[in-house]
Amino acid sequence: MPQQASTQVQRMSRLTVRTLRDDPADADSPGHRLLVRAGYVRRSSAGMWSWLPLGKRVLDNVARVVREEMDAIGGQEVLLPALVPAETYEATGRAGEYGDLLFRLTDRKGARYVLGPTHEEVFTHLVKDQVTSYRDLPVILYQVQTKYRDEARPRAGVLRGREFLMKDAYSFDTGDDGLDEAYRLHREAYLRIFRRLGLDVRVVSAVSGAMGGSRSEEFLAPAAAGEDTFAACAGCGYAANTEAVAFTAKVPAADAPGPLREIDTPGTATVAELCERHGVPASAVLKNVLVTVDGEITAVGVPGDREVDLGKLAEHLAPAVVSLVTAEDFAARPDLVRGYIGPQGLAVRYLADPRVAPGTAWVTGANHAGRHAWDVVCGRDFEVDRYLDVAVVEPGDPCPRCGAGLALDRAIEVGHIFRLGRKYTDAFRLDVLGPDGKPVRVTMGSYGIGVSRAVGALAEQTADARGLCWPAEVAPADVHVVAAGKGGPLALAEEAAEALAAAGLRVLLDDRALSPGVKFADADLIGVPRHLVAGRRAAERVLELKDRATGERQDLAFAEAVARLTGGTAG
Ligand code: ATP
Ligand code: MG
């Protein structure tokens, strides 16, 4: 990051930052705690974050890297309104798909608006207005813009905000080859972006969700604070969000099952109770979970040792709204016996995991309180209306590609790229004139990066016990100069800071009238990659250079210290 022009020294005595000794009570992840404690962000209201000077610098650095790499693949930066007429999202059906996630408002004339959660529709409109011929394509447009989503559970600070900064890009092409090329360009640009940011990411197959389109991949940053789980196969390199892992293994039919028989099993409303009292393995039990799908009660069958992944279920059934049944739902349906439900003779729609394959035999509820049925055979005693991959993926499950055992890890989704195809261009009839003078329907891709989320993800991945620890490219300064004492140390620190700034480095100078111990702790907390301390040996013009990440320190003469720091970053 060569920076020729001399920059201003940022004095901490003039900086709006108040570090906290103690963890904020409401912080729910390590990175979030540190971003608040080190004075990078402050909560404004639920899911809304203010970026203080240090935080704004990091946010801008992330955005700068994103812009540079988007420009390098031919992206053109634009800025569209965040406030969008509601009918724009209604035209594609997304207003319904996003539902309560949309912030809606009405203007003084009663016109309805949405604060954009993502901008496929708006960009399609724009391009329809700007582009007429195949010669005008391909086009990649992008913006770095504030997005709004009324998240049900904003959490972990900037990782999931209700207002957040996103880079959203859109590609427009006349044919599938063009789309493939635009997709490839973005995929490579994203890998370069995350490498430069110092963020460790995995590219995984994903489900496209409300965005639509055929194939999509996510960029996941492994971290315990992440809300996504991804599966990786050490054998063949397969990697996918667990939401996108399909169960493909063959399930053998039961070997000569006997006739269905019912047994009294009082006090066994849970799988655990049934297994314990009747010596059945949980994997032999068919568990039936009741949900409502757009208000209609539906049963979902999974093996007793698995949970239903409600997120996956909702994804499969979107735009229908899926909820768990309530006590009132049960009260209205005496035929549904809580804890003793079986699919045989059940008067509701029955969805099942592929493990509940035709010919498999199960122990399941007998639809009478305190009673279960044995040898309940799929296809003989009950039918499955629809198979859906709804079971939570477990470590060791078979890789859909090679069958080896999958490993699972938590991660933060920092980017998502979609081959959208023609969902939006069909909705708005975006055509250009082809070489033969006939209209061609345009095909589209969309490519998002959570810019503010990336700052949170970096904090999660790089922080240590002492505080934040930024990679050089995103750090709020290149060097943190600490005056460990008044008089001589302060004068030397100021001189060093000026020399470094004159060479183009971004310098944070701790010139505050505080004890050296407090300043060292703050420097570690703030996490600039290199610290330069003027203290004990200031009279000899000797400074201590410290590497924040490794803790390595070295005493250096003034000129040597300046040369080391400026040489290290120039070119
Ligand atoms: P998630 O599954 O985490 O809710 P998403 O799949 O809905 O995210 P996209 O629609 O793909 O997100 O948005 C593009 C990018 O914007 C995401 O990859 C993520 O980095 C970022 N992003 C999405 N929602 C938020 C949010 N609430 N706060 C911060 N960043 C977000
Ligand atoms: Mg996504």
Side-chain angles (χ1 to χ4, degrees):
M1 193 183 14
Q3 300 202 345
Q4 265 71 43
S6 106
T7 55
Q8 291 282 313
V9 172
Q10 175 64 61
R11 287 173 177 266
M12 285 190 65
S13 59
R14 310 294 318 144
L15 184 69
T16 303
V17 59
R18 215 175 70 201
T19 56
L20 308 174
R21 287 292 143 248
D22 298 314
D23 283 337
D26 57 351
D28 44 14
S29 75
H32 175 205
R33 273 194 284 281
L34 290 170
L35 285 171
V36 174
R37 273 188 54 204
Y40 282 68
V41 298
R42 272 282 179 287
R43 184 178 177 277
S44 174
S45 65
M48 307 285 179
W49 292 88
S50 302
W51 293 82
L52 300 178
L54 290 175
K56 178 67 165 50
R57 289 182 179 203
V58 177
L59 186 67
D60 285 350
N61 286 336
V62 172
R64 172 180 49 78
V65 170
V66 170
R67 285 189 166 100
E68 286 172 8
E69 296 298 339
M70 285 305 300
D71 292 346
I73 61 166
Q76 304 175 68
E77 184 169 359
V78 295
L79 185 59
L80 275 54
L83 192 58
V84 183
E87 56 260 32
T88 307
Y89 289 95
E90 283 158 4
T92 53
R94 277 217 295 185
E97 280 162 32
Y98 275 128
D100 289 342
L101 204 77
L102 292 183
F103 275 107
R104 299 162 190 272
L105 48 91
T106 307
D107 74 6
R108 63 171 78 208
K109 297 199 184 94
R112 294 171 306 115
Y113 284 84
V114 161
L115 284 168
T118 174
H119 270 52
E120 281 71 14
E121 287 84 350
V122 195
F123 272 81
T124 309
H125 262 305
L126 177 80
V127 169
K128 189 174 161 78
D129 190 47
Q130 293 287 316
V131 166
T132 48
S133 154
Y134 74 96
R135 286 194 209 87
D136 302 330
L137 298 181
V139 162
I140 296 172
L141 298 174
Y142 77 94
Q143 60 178 348
V144 178
Q145 192 207 36
T146 303
K147 296 284 192 278
Y148 298 85
R149 295 183 185 183
D150 193 359
E151 299 279 359
R153 277 173 298 279
R155 63 175 285 282
V158 298
L159 284 185
R160 183 173 299 284
R162 297 200 299 161
E163 175 182 292
F164 58 97
L165 197 62
M166 193 202 286
K167 185 282 300 177
D168 47 324
Y170 307 86
S171 68
F172 297 86
D173 285 274
T174 46
D176 294 344
D177 291 350
L179 173 57
D180 284 347
E181 175 64 3
Y183 187 90
R184 186 187 67 77
L185 285 173
H186 279 88
R187 195 178 192 278
E188 286 171 6
Y190 276 35
L191 289 173
R192 281 194 294 273
I193 288 167
F194 294 122
R195 196 178 316 126
R196 282 181 63 184
L197 296 181
L199 200 60
D200 174 26
V201 296
R202 304 284 186 292
V203 190
V204 309
S205 313
V207 290
S208 296
M211 209 65 81
S214 58
R215 234 189 86 194
S216 83
E217 286 170 298
E218 284 169 346
F219 293 75
L220 297 185
E227 288 184 89
D228 285 86
T229 307
F230 71 101
C233 174
C236 70
Y238 168 87
N241 193 310
T242 49
E243 290 171 357
V245 175
F247 179 80
T248 52
K250 268 208 87 57
V251 183
D255 207 14
L260 184 155
R261 58 189 203 286
E262 291 186 8
I263 295 177
D264 283 334
T265 57
T268 59
T270 66
V271 173
E273 287 162 339
L274 179 68
C275 294
E276 196 188 302
R277 297 194 194 157
H278 295 271
V280 202
S283 58
V285 175
L286 176 55
K287 175 161 80 179
N288 303 289
V289 177
L290 290 183
V291 296
T292 57
V293 179
D294 275 346
E296 185 199 335
I297 294 187
T298 303
V300 185
V302 291
D305 57 352
R306 299 257 157 185
E307 297 301 325
V308 171
D309 186 331
L310 288 173
K312 258 181 156 176
L313 181 64
E315 197 76 60
H316 285 301
L317 300 177
V321 176
V322 177
S323 331
L324 281 171
V325 288
T326 61
E328 292 90 79
D329 293 328
F330 269 111
R333 291 286 300 261
D335 59 319
L336 302 175
V337 189
R338 191 170 217 162
Y340 297 93
I341 290 170
Q344 64 287 11
L346 194 66
V348 302
R349 201 153 89 98
Y350 194 63
L351 311 177
D353 182 75
R355 292 170 183 83
V356 189
T360 51
W362 302 90
V363 178
T364 194
N367 298 312
H368 290 287
R371 209 155 203 226
H372 277 87
W374 264 250
D375 278 324
V376 183
V377 177
C378 178
R380 183 190 74 183
D381 302 317
F382 69 94
E383 299 292 336
V384 172
D385 293 313
R386 185 174 166 194
Y387 281 105
L388 289 175
D389 248 299
V390 290
V392 168
V393 176
E394 306 273 2
D397 277 358
C399 168
R401 208 186 277 160
C402 76
L406 293 171
L408 303 190
D409 260 309
R410 303 288 288 171
I412 300 162
E413 179 195 324
V414 286
H416 199 163
I417 54 178
F418 300 85
R419 279 191 181 81
L420 291 177
R422 299 181 174 81
K423 167 171 173 170
Y424 299 90
T425 55
D426 280 345
F428 297 111
R429 292 187 302 280
L430 169 55
D431 295 329
V432 292
L433 287 183
D436 54 2
K438 293 202 184 110
V440 184
R441 187 59 38 102
V442 171
T443 178
M444 227 177 128
S446 97
Y447 316 89
I449 288 183
V451 174
S452 48
R453 182 180 282 185
V455 175
L458 276 164
E460 298 297 337
Q461 276 193 352
T462 60
D464 60 23
R466 286 171 295 133
L468 297 163
C469 192
W470 299 106
E473 182 106 46
V474 297
D478 297 313
V479 189
H480 189 144
V481 180
V482 179
K486 299 185 290 243
L490 178 59
L492 188 67
E494 284 177 332
E495 191 185 337
E498 289 305 334
L500 294 169
L505 296 193
R506 299 164 309 151
V507 183
L508 193 61
L509 169 64
D510 196 345
D511 58 341
R512 297 174 302 173
L514 294 172
S515 77
V518 169
K519 291 184 174 186
F520 294 149
D522 272 357
D524 279 347
L525 180 60
I526 287 170
V528 170
R530 286 166 309 176
H531 302 169
L532 188 65
V533 182
R536 279 176 297 112
R537 301 180 62 189
E540 306 160 60
R541 293 180 66 74
V542 169
L543 299 132
E544 184 185 71
L545 179 61
K546 179 181 152 190
D547 184 292
R548 169 63 184 86
T550 64
E552 252 169 70
R553 5 172 135 233
Q554 208 178 353
D555 278 355
L556 295 170
F558 184 93
E560 168 89 39
V562 171
R564 191 74 72 84
L565 285 165
T566 52
T569 56

